[in-house]
mmCIF file with all atom_site columns, all heavy atoms in Angstrom:
data_model
loop_
_atom_site.group_PDB
_atom_site.id
_atom_site.type_symbol
_atom_site.label_atom_id
_atom_site.label_alt_id
_atom_site.label_comp_id
_atom_site.label_asym_id
_atom_site.label_entity_id
_atom_site.label_seq_id
_atom_site.pdbx_PDB_ins_code
_atom_site.Cartn_x
_atom_site.Cartn_y
_atom_site.Cartn_z
_atom_site.occupancy
_atom_site.B_iso_or_equiv
_atom_site.pdbx_formal_charge
_atom_site.auth_seq_id
_atom_site.auth_comp_id
_atom_site.auth_asym_id
_atom_site.auth_atom_id
_atom_site.pdbx_PDB_model_num
ATOM 1   N N   . ARG A 1 36 ? -22.334 18.677 -15.403 1.00 91.00 ? 36 ARG A N   1
ATOM 2   C CA  . ARG A 1 36 ? -22.350 20.205 -15.619 1.00 91.00 ? 36 ARG A CA  1
ATOM 3   C C   . ARG A 1 36 ? -23.347 20.291 -16.729 1.00 91.00 ? 36 ARG A C   1
ATOM 4   O O   . ARG A 1 36 ? -24.272 21.169 -16.725 1.00 91.00 ? 36 ARG A O   1
ATOM 5   C CB  . ARG A 1 36 ? -21.022 20.820 -15.914 1.00 91.00 ? 36 ARG A CB  1
ATOM 6   C CG  . ARG A 1 36 ? -20.976 22.288 -15.522 1.00 91.00 ? 36 ARG A CG  1
ATOM 7   C CD  . ARG A 1 36 ? -19.728 22.958 -15.748 1.00 91.00 ? 36 ARG A CD  1
ATOM 8   N NE  . ARG A 1 36 ? -18.557 22.601 -14.836 1.00 91.00 ? 36 ARG A NE  1
ATOM 9   C CZ  . ARG A 1 36 ? -17.511 21.869 -15.137 1.00 91.00 ? 36 ARG A CZ  1
ATOM 10  N NH1 . ARG A 1 36 ? -17.237 21.525 -16.386 1.00 91.00 ? 36 ARG A NH1 1
ATOM 11  N NH2 . ARG A 1 36 ? -16.591 21.608 -14.266 1.00 91.00 ? 36 ARG A NH2 1
ATOM 12  N N   . GLN A 1 37 ? -23.184 19.558 -17.882 1.00 92.00 ? 37 GLN A N   1
ATOM 13  C CA  . GLN A 1 37 ? -24.066 19.609 -18.965 1.00 92.00 ? 37 GLN A CA  1
ATOM 14  C C   . GLN A 1 37 ? -25.439 19.322 -18.585 1.00 92.00 ? 37 GLN A C   1
ATOM 15  O O   . GLN A 1 37 ? -26.489 19.773 -19.314 1.00 92.00 ? 37 GLN A O   1
ATOM 16  C CB  . GLN A 1 37 ? -23.636 18.789 -20.121 1.00 92.00 ? 37 GLN A CB  1
ATOM 17  C CG  . GLN A 1 37 ? -22.550 19.422 -21.048 1.00 92.00 ? 37 GLN A CG  1
ATOM 18  C CD  . GLN A 1 37 ? -21.650 18.532 -21.877 1.00 92.00 ? 37 GLN A CD  1
ATOM 19  O OE1 . GLN A 1 37 ? -22.066 17.349 -22.055 1.00 92.00 ? 37 GLN A OE1 1
ATOM 20  N NE2 . GLN A 1 37 ? -20.536 18.885 -22.177 1.00 92.00 ? 37 GLN A NE2 1
ATOM 21  N N   . ALA A 1 38 ? -25.569 18.583 -17.650 1.00 91.00 ? 38 ALA A N   1
ATOM 22  C CA  . ALA A 1 38 ? -27.107 18.265 -17.200 1.00 91.00 ? 38 ALA A CA  1
ATOM 23  C C   . ALA A 1 38 ? -27.570 19.265 -16.350 1.00 91.00 ? 38 ALA A C   1
ATOM 24  O O   . ALA A 1 38 ? -28.592 19.129 -15.672 1.00 91.00 ? 38 ALA A O   1
ATOM 25  C CB  . ALA A 1 38 ? -27.057 16.856 -16.406 1.00 91.00 ? 38 ALA A CB  1
ATOM 26  N N   . GLY A 1 39 ? -26.832 20.411 -16.177 1.00 93.00 ? 39 GLY A N   1
ATOM 27  C CA  . GLY A 1 39 ? -27.325 21.668 -15.436 1.00 93.00 ? 39 GLY A CA  1
ATOM 28  C C   . GLY A 1 39 ? -26.902 21.725 -14.036 1.00 93.00 ? 39 GLY A C   1
ATOM 29  O O   . GLY A 1 39 ? -27.336 22.514 -13.306 1.00 93.00 ? 39 GLY A O   1
ATOM 30  N N   . VAL A 1 40 ? -26.066 20.787 -13.466 1.00 93.00 ? 40 VAL A N   1
ATOM 31  C CA  . VAL A 1 40 ? -25.645 20.757 -12.112 1.00 93.00 ? 40 VAL A CA  1
ATOM 32  C C   . VAL A 1 40 ? -24.576 21.801 -11.950 1.00 93.00 ? 40 VAL A C   1
ATOM 33  O O   . VAL A 1 40 ? -23.693 21.911 -12.684 1.00 93.00 ? 40 VAL A O   1
ATOM 34  C CB  . VAL A 1 40 ? -25.292 19.304 -11.747 1.00 93.00 ? 40 VAL A CB  1
ATOM 35  C CG1 . VAL A 1 40 ? -24.773 19.349 -10.294 1.00 93.00 ? 40 VAL A CG1 1
ATOM 36  C CG2 . VAL A 1 40 ? -26.330 18.342 -11.954 1.00 93.00 ? 40 VAL A CG2 1
ATOM 37  N N   . ASP A 1 41 ? -24.656 22.467 -10.966 1.00 94.00 ? 41 ASP A N   1
ATOM 38  C CA  . ASP A 1 41 ? -23.693 23.448 -10.427 1.00 94.00 ? 41 ASP A CA  1
ATOM 39  C C   . ASP A 1 41 ? -22.401 22.737 -9.817  1.00 94.00 ? 41 ASP A C   1
ATOM 40  O O   . ASP A 1 41 ? -22.504 22.599 -8.545  1.00 94.00 ? 41 ASP A O   1
ATOM 41  C CB  . ASP A 1 41 ? -24.134 24.522 -9.594  1.00 94.00 ? 41 ASP A CB  1
ATOM 42  C CG  . ASP A 1 41 ? -23.161 25.548 -9.033  1.00 94.00 ? 41 ASP A CG  1
ATOM 43  O OD1 . ASP A 1 41 ? -22.201 25.724 -9.688  1.00 94.00 ? 41 ASP A OD1 1
ATOM 44  O OD2 . ASP A 1 41 ? -23.514 26.001 -7.982  1.00 94.00 ? 41 ASP A OD2 1
ATOM 45  N N   . VAL A 1 42 ? -21.430 22.467 -10.525 1.00 95.00 ? 42 VAL A N   1
ATOM 46  C CA  . VAL A 1 42 ? -20.219 21.503 -10.051 1.00 95.00 ? 42 VAL A CA  1
ATOM 47  C C   . VAL A 1 42 ? -19.101 22.550 -9.822  1.00 95.00 ? 42 VAL A C   1
ATOM 48  O O   . VAL A 1 42 ? -18.745 23.375 -10.576 1.00 95.00 ? 42 VAL A O   1
ATOM 49  C CB  . VAL A 1 42 ? -19.905 20.548 -11.125 1.00 95.00 ? 42 VAL A CB  1
ATOM 50  C CG1 . VAL A 1 42 ? -18.664 19.690 -10.652 1.00 95.00 ? 42 VAL A CG1 1
ATOM 51  C CG2 . VAL A 1 42 ? -20.977 19.618 -11.469 1.00 95.00 ? 42 VAL A CG2 1
ATOM 52  N N   . VAL A 1 43 ? -18.438 22.271 -8.658  1.00 95.00 ? 43 VAL A N   1
ATOM 53  C CA  . VAL A 1 43 ? -17.139 22.963 -8.351  1.00 95.00 ? 43 VAL A CA  1
ATOM 54  C C   . VAL A 1 43 ? -16.078 21.923 -8.826  1.00 95.00 ? 43 VAL A C   1
ATOM 55  O O   . VAL A 1 43 ? -16.000 20.969 -8.492  1.00 95.00 ? 43 VAL A O   1
ATOM 56  C CB  . VAL A 1 43 ? -17.050 23.070 -6.937  1.00 95.00 ? 43 VAL A CB  1
ATOM 57  C CG1 . VAL A 1 43 ? -15.613 23.753 -6.604  1.00 95.00 ? 43 VAL A CG1 1
ATOM 58  C CG2 . VAL A 1 43 ? -18.054 24.223 -6.313  1.00 95.00 ? 43 VAL A CG2 1
ATOM 59  N N   . ASP A 1 44 ? -15.330 22.460 -9.891  1.00 93.00 ? 44 ASP A N   1
ATOM 60  C CA  . ASP A 1 44 ? -14.386 21.677 -10.400 1.00 93.00 ? 44 ASP A CA  1
ATOM 61  C C   . ASP A 1 44 ? -12.868 21.874 -9.877  1.00 93.00 ? 44 ASP A C   1
ATOM 62  O O   . ASP A 1 44 ? -12.244 22.870 -10.128 1.00 93.00 ? 44 ASP A O   1
ATOM 63  C CB  . ASP A 1 44 ? -14.198 22.046 -11.938 1.00 93.00 ? 44 ASP A CB  1
ATOM 64  C CG  . ASP A 1 44 ? -13.570 20.941 -12.667 1.00 93.00 ? 44 ASP A CG  1
ATOM 65  O OD1 . ASP A 1 44 ? -12.919 20.069 -12.089 1.00 93.00 ? 44 ASP A OD1 1
ATOM 66  O OD2 . ASP A 1 44 ? -13.678 20.989 -14.050 1.00 93.00 ? 44 ASP A OD2 1
ATOM 67  N N   . TRP A 1 45 ? -12.556 20.919 -9.119  1.00 95.00 ? 45 TRP A N   1
ATOM 68  C CA  . TRP A 1 45 ? -11.142 20.831 -8.517  1.00 95.00 ? 45 TRP A CA  1
ATOM 69  C C   . TRP A 1 45 ? -10.240 19.914 -9.235  1.00 95.00 ? 45 TRP A C   1
ATOM 70  O O   . TRP A 1 45 ? -9.256  19.228 -8.695  1.00 95.00 ? 45 TRP A O   1
ATOM 71  C CB  . TRP A 1 45 ? -11.313 20.476 -7.048  1.00 95.00 ? 45 TRP A CB  1
ATOM 72  C CG  . TRP A 1 45 ? -11.744 21.539 -6.070  1.00 95.00 ? 45 TRP A CG  1
ATOM 73  C CD1 . TRP A 1 45 ? -11.806 22.906 -6.480  1.00 95.00 ? 45 TRP A CD1 1
ATOM 74  C CD2 . TRP A 1 45 ? -11.980 21.551 -4.777  1.00 95.00 ? 45 TRP A CD2 1
ATOM 75  N NE1 . TRP A 1 45 ? -12.269 23.607 -5.301  1.00 95.00 ? 45 TRP A NE1 1
ATOM 76  C CE2 . TRP A 1 45 ? -12.395 22.770 -4.255  1.00 95.00 ? 45 TRP A CE2 1
ATOM 77  C CE3 . TRP A 1 45 ? -12.086 20.504 -3.860  1.00 95.00 ? 45 TRP A CE3 1
ATOM 78  C CZ2 . TRP A 1 45 ? -12.586 23.073 -2.862  1.00 95.00 ? 45 TRP A CZ2 1
ATOM 79  C CZ3 . TRP A 1 45 ? -12.295 20.645 -2.522  1.00 95.00 ? 45 TRP A CZ3 1
ATOM 80  C CH2 . TRP A 1 45 ? -12.696 21.980 -2.083  1.00 95.00 ? 45 TRP A CH2 1
ATOM 81  N N   . THR A 1 46 ? -10.582 19.473 -10.522 1.00 92.00 ? 46 THR A N   1
ATOM 82  C CA  . THR A 1 46 ? -9.837  18.399 -11.234 1.00 92.00 ? 46 THR A CA  1
ATOM 83  C C   . THR A 1 46 ? -8.606  19.065 -11.955 1.00 92.00 ? 46 THR A C   1
ATOM 84  O O   . THR A 1 46 ? -7.665  18.360 -12.003 1.00 92.00 ? 46 THR A O   1
ATOM 85  C CB  . THR A 1 46 ? -10.684 17.635 -12.156 1.00 92.00 ? 46 THR A CB  1
ATOM 86  O OG1 . THR A 1 46 ? -11.246 18.528 -13.065 1.00 92.00 ? 46 THR A OG1 1
ATOM 87  C CG2 . THR A 1 46 ? -11.911 16.834 -11.340 1.00 92.00 ? 46 THR A CG2 1
ATOM 88  N N   . VAL A 1 47 ? -8.934  20.135 -12.534 1.00 85.00 ? 47 VAL A N   1
ATOM 89  C CA  . VAL A 1 47 ? -7.993  20.465 -13.664 1.00 85.00 ? 47 VAL A CA  1
ATOM 90  C C   . VAL A 1 47 ? -6.648  21.032 -13.239 1.00 85.00 ? 47 VAL A C   1
ATOM 91  O O   . VAL A 1 47 ? -6.536  21.890 -12.458 1.00 85.00 ? 47 VAL A O   1
ATOM 92  C CB  . VAL A 1 47 ? -8.615  21.696 -14.447 1.00 85.00 ? 47 VAL A CB  1
ATOM 93  C CG1 . VAL A 1 47 ? -8.312  21.588 -15.859 1.00 85.00 ? 47 VAL A CG1 1
ATOM 94  C CG2 . VAL A 1 47 ? -10.102 21.714 -14.199 1.00 85.00 ? 47 VAL A CG2 1
ATOM 95  N N   . GLY A 1 48 ? -5.626  20.355 -13.777 1.00 88.00 ? 48 GLY A N   1
ATOM 96  C CA  . GLY A 1 48 ? -4.287  20.808 -13.383 1.00 88.00 ? 48 GLY A CA  1
ATOM 97  C C   . GLY A 1 48 ? -3.786  21.905 -14.295 1.00 88.00 ? 48 GLY A C   1
ATOM 98  O O   . GLY A 1 48 ? -2.652  21.558 -15.035 1.00 88.00 ? 48 GLY A O   1
ATOM 99  N N   . GLU A 1 49 ? -4.383  22.888 -14.232 1.00 92.00 ? 49 GLU A N   1
ATOM 100 C CA  . GLU A 1 49 ? -3.806  24.067 -15.004 1.00 92.00 ? 49 GLU A CA  1
ATOM 101 C C   . GLU A 1 49 ? -4.156  25.385 -14.362 1.00 92.00 ? 49 GLU A C   1
ATOM 102 O O   . GLU A 1 49 ? -5.081  25.554 -13.746 1.00 92.00 ? 49 GLU A O   1
ATOM 103 C CB  . GLU A 1 49 ? -4.326  24.087 -16.452 1.00 92.00 ? 49 GLU A CB  1
ATOM 104 C CG  . GLU A 1 49 ? -5.822  24.159 -16.752 1.00 92.00 ? 49 GLU A CG  1
ATOM 105 C CD  . GLU A 1 49 ? -6.098  24.306 -18.163 1.00 92.00 ? 49 GLU A CD  1
ATOM 106 O OE1 . GLU A 1 49 ? -5.311  24.384 -19.044 1.00 92.00 ? 49 GLU A OE1 1
ATOM 107 O OE2 . GLU A 1 49 ? -7.360  24.013 -18.418 1.00 92.00 ? 49 GLU A OE2 1
ATOM 108 N N   . PRO A 1 50 ? -3.168  26.251 -14.648 1.00 95.00 ? 50 PRO A N   1
ATOM 109 C CA  . PRO A 1 50 ? -3.392  27.656 -14.067 1.00 95.00 ? 50 PRO A CA  1
ATOM 110 C C   . PRO A 1 50 ? -4.720  28.345 -14.477 1.00 95.00 ? 50 PRO A C   1
ATOM 111 O O   . PRO A 1 50 ? -5.161  28.090 -15.664 1.00 95.00 ? 50 PRO A O   1
ATOM 112 C CB  . PRO A 1 50 ? -2.222  28.491 -14.766 1.00 95.00 ? 50 PRO A CB  1
ATOM 113 C CG  . PRO A 1 50 ? -1.267  27.502 -15.126 1.00 95.00 ? 50 PRO A CG  1
ATOM 114 C CD  . PRO A 1 50 ? -1.982  26.333 -15.499 1.00 95.00 ? 50 PRO A CD  1
ATOM 115 N N   . HIS A 1 51 ? -5.319  29.014 -13.497 1.00 94.00 ? 51 HIS A N   1
ATOM 116 C CA  . HIS A 1 51 ? -6.522  29.711 -13.934 1.00 94.00 ? 51 HIS A CA  1
ATOM 117 C C   . HIS A 1 51 ? -6.383  31.042 -14.394 1.00 94.00 ? 51 HIS A C   1
ATOM 118 O O   . HIS A 1 51 ? -7.204  31.750 -14.718 1.00 94.00 ? 51 HIS A O   1
ATOM 119 C CB  . HIS A 1 51 ? -7.521  29.782 -12.583 1.00 94.00 ? 51 HIS A CB  1
ATOM 120 C CG  . HIS A 1 51 ? -6.877  30.381 -11.480 1.00 94.00 ? 51 HIS A CG  1
ATOM 121 N ND1 . HIS A 1 51 ? -5.705  30.105 -10.993 1.00 94.00 ? 51 HIS A ND1 1
ATOM 122 C CD2 . HIS A 1 51 ? -7.213  31.484 -10.665 1.00 94.00 ? 51 HIS A CD2 1
ATOM 123 C CE1 . HIS A 1 51 ? -5.385  30.750 -9.873  1.00 94.00 ? 51 HIS A CE1 1
ATOM 124 N NE2 . HIS A 1 51 ? -6.399  31.741 -9.746  1.00 94.00 ? 51 HIS A NE2 1
ATOM 125 N N   . PHE A 1 52 ? -4.974  31.515 -14.447 1.00 97.00 ? 52 PHE A N   1
ATOM 126 C CA  . PHE A 1 52 ? -4.556  32.794 -15.069 1.00 97.00 ? 52 PHE A CA  1
ATOM 127 C C   . PHE A 1 52 ? -4.662  32.661 -16.589 1.00 97.00 ? 52 PHE A C   1
ATOM 128 O O   . PHE A 1 52 ? -4.509  31.613 -17.187 1.00 97.00 ? 52 PHE A O   1
ATOM 129 C CB  . PHE A 1 52 ? -3.277  32.994 -14.570 1.00 97.00 ? 52 PHE A CB  1
ATOM 130 C CG  . PHE A 1 52 ? -3.079  33.153 -13.092 1.00 97.00 ? 52 PHE A CG  1
ATOM 131 C CD1 . PHE A 1 52 ? -2.430  32.248 -12.393 1.00 97.00 ? 52 PHE A CD1 1
ATOM 132 C CD2 . PHE A 1 52 ? -3.612  34.248 -12.486 1.00 97.00 ? 52 PHE A CD2 1
ATOM 133 C CE1 . PHE A 1 52 ? -2.242  32.311 -11.108 1.00 97.00 ? 52 PHE A CE1 1
ATOM 134 C CE2 . PHE A 1 52 ? -3.421  34.309 -11.038 1.00 97.00 ? 52 PHE A CE2 1
ATOM 135 C CZ  . PHE A 1 52 ? -2.771  33.334 -10.392 1.00 97.00 ? 52 PHE A CZ  1
ATOM 136 N N   . SER A 1 53 ? -4.650  33.940 -17.185 1.00 97.00 ? 53 SER A N   1
ATOM 137 C CA  . SER A 1 53 ? -4.620  34.005 -18.634 1.00 97.00 ? 53 SER A CA  1
ATOM 138 C C   . SER A 1 53 ? -3.079  34.094 -18.969 1.00 97.00 ? 53 SER A C   1
ATOM 139 O O   . SER A 1 53 ? -2.341  34.565 -18.087 1.00 97.00 ? 53 SER A O   1
ATOM 140 C CB  . SER A 1 53 ? -5.202  35.287 -19.220 1.00 97.00 ? 53 SER A CB  1
ATOM 141 O OG  . SER A 1 53 ? -6.641  35.169 -18.831 1.00 97.00 ? 53 SER A OG  1
ATOM 142 N N   . THR A 1 54 ? -2.753  33.570 -20.087 1.00 98.00 ? 54 THR A N   1
ATOM 143 C CA  . THR A 1 54 ? -1.223  33.869 -20.585 1.00 98.00 ? 54 THR A CA  1
ATOM 144 C C   . THR A 1 54 ? -0.926  35.368 -20.541 1.00 98.00 ? 54 THR A C   1
ATOM 145 O O   . THR A 1 54 ? -1.728  36.157 -21.064 1.00 98.00 ? 54 THR A O   1
ATOM 146 C CB  . THR A 1 54 ? -1.072  33.303 -22.023 1.00 98.00 ? 54 THR A CB  1
ATOM 147 O OG1 . THR A 1 54 ? -1.778  32.012 -22.041 1.00 98.00 ? 54 THR A OG1 1
ATOM 148 C CG2 . THR A 1 54 ? 0.213   33.399 -22.496 1.00 98.00 ? 54 THR A CG2 1
ATOM 149 N N   . PRO A 1 55 ? 0.226   35.773 -20.142 1.00 98.00 ? 55 PRO A N   1
ATOM 150 C CA  . PRO A 1 55 ? 0.529   37.055 -19.948 1.00 98.00 ? 55 PRO A CA  1
ATOM 151 C C   . PRO A 1 55 ? 0.544   37.811 -21.277 1.00 98.00 ? 55 PRO A C   1
ATOM 152 O O   . PRO A 1 55 ? 0.898   37.140 -22.325 1.00 98.00 ? 55 PRO A O   1
ATOM 153 C CB  . PRO A 1 55 ? 2.031   37.163 -19.354 1.00 98.00 ? 55 PRO A CB  1
ATOM 154 C CG  . PRO A 1 55 ? 1.975   35.814 -18.482 1.00 98.00 ? 55 PRO A CG  1
ATOM 155 C CD  . PRO A 1 55 ? 1.115   34.889 -19.286 1.00 98.00 ? 55 PRO A CD  1
ATOM 156 N N   . GLN A 1 56 ? 0.152   39.151 -21.312 1.00 98.00 ? 56 GLN A N   1
ATOM 157 C CA  . GLN A 1 56 ? 0.111   39.859 -22.601 1.00 98.00 ? 56 GLN A CA  1
ATOM 158 C C   . GLN A 1 56 ? 1.275   39.764 -23.435 1.00 98.00 ? 56 GLN A C   1
ATOM 159 O O   . GLN A 1 56 ? 1.118   39.645 -24.688 1.00 98.00 ? 56 GLN A O   1
ATOM 160 C CB  . GLN A 1 56 ? -0.364  41.274 -22.295 1.00 98.00 ? 56 GLN A CB  1
ATOM 161 C CG  . GLN A 1 56 ? -0.951  42.051 -23.504 1.00 98.00 ? 56 GLN A CG  1
ATOM 162 C CD  . GLN A 1 56 ? -2.077  41.329 -24.032 1.00 98.00 ? 56 GLN A CD  1
ATOM 163 O OE1 . GLN A 1 56 ? -3.179  40.837 -23.525 1.00 98.00 ? 56 GLN A OE1 1
ATOM 164 N NE2 . GLN A 1 56 ? -2.100  41.329 -25.452 1.00 98.00 ? 56 GLN A NE2 1
ATOM 165 N N   . HIS A 1 57 ? 2.366   40.066 -22.898 1.00 98.00 ? 57 HIS A N   1
ATOM 166 C CA  . HIS A 1 57 ? 3.604   40.153 -23.810 1.00 98.00 ? 57 HIS A CA  1
ATOM 167 C C   . HIS A 1 57 ? 3.794   38.927 -24.509 1.00 98.00 ? 57 HIS A C   1
ATOM 168 O O   . HIS A 1 57 ? 4.361   38.874 -25.590 1.00 98.00 ? 57 HIS A O   1
ATOM 169 C CB  . HIS A 1 57 ? 4.816   40.585 -23.000 1.00 98.00 ? 57 HIS A CB  1
ATOM 170 C CG  . HIS A 1 57 ? 5.370   39.603 -21.936 1.00 98.00 ? 57 HIS A CG  1
ATOM 171 N ND1 . HIS A 1 57 ? 4.714   39.335 -20.715 1.00 98.00 ? 57 HIS A ND1 1
ATOM 172 C CD2 . HIS A 1 57 ? 6.462   38.879 -22.025 1.00 98.00 ? 57 HIS A CD2 1
ATOM 173 C CE1 . HIS A 1 57 ? 5.548   38.395 -20.187 1.00 98.00 ? 57 HIS A CE1 1
ATOM 174 N NE2 . HIS A 1 57 ? 6.501   38.135 -20.830 1.00 98.00 ? 57 HIS A NE2 1
#
Side-chain angles (χ1 to χ4, degrees):
R36 210 179 285 117
Q37 272 159 25
V40 177
D41 174 24
V42 174
V43 171
D44 194 348
W45 280 352
T46 58
V47 216
E49 65 179 341
H51 56 304
F52 299 107
S53 302
T54 305
Q56 191 58 46
H57 67 285

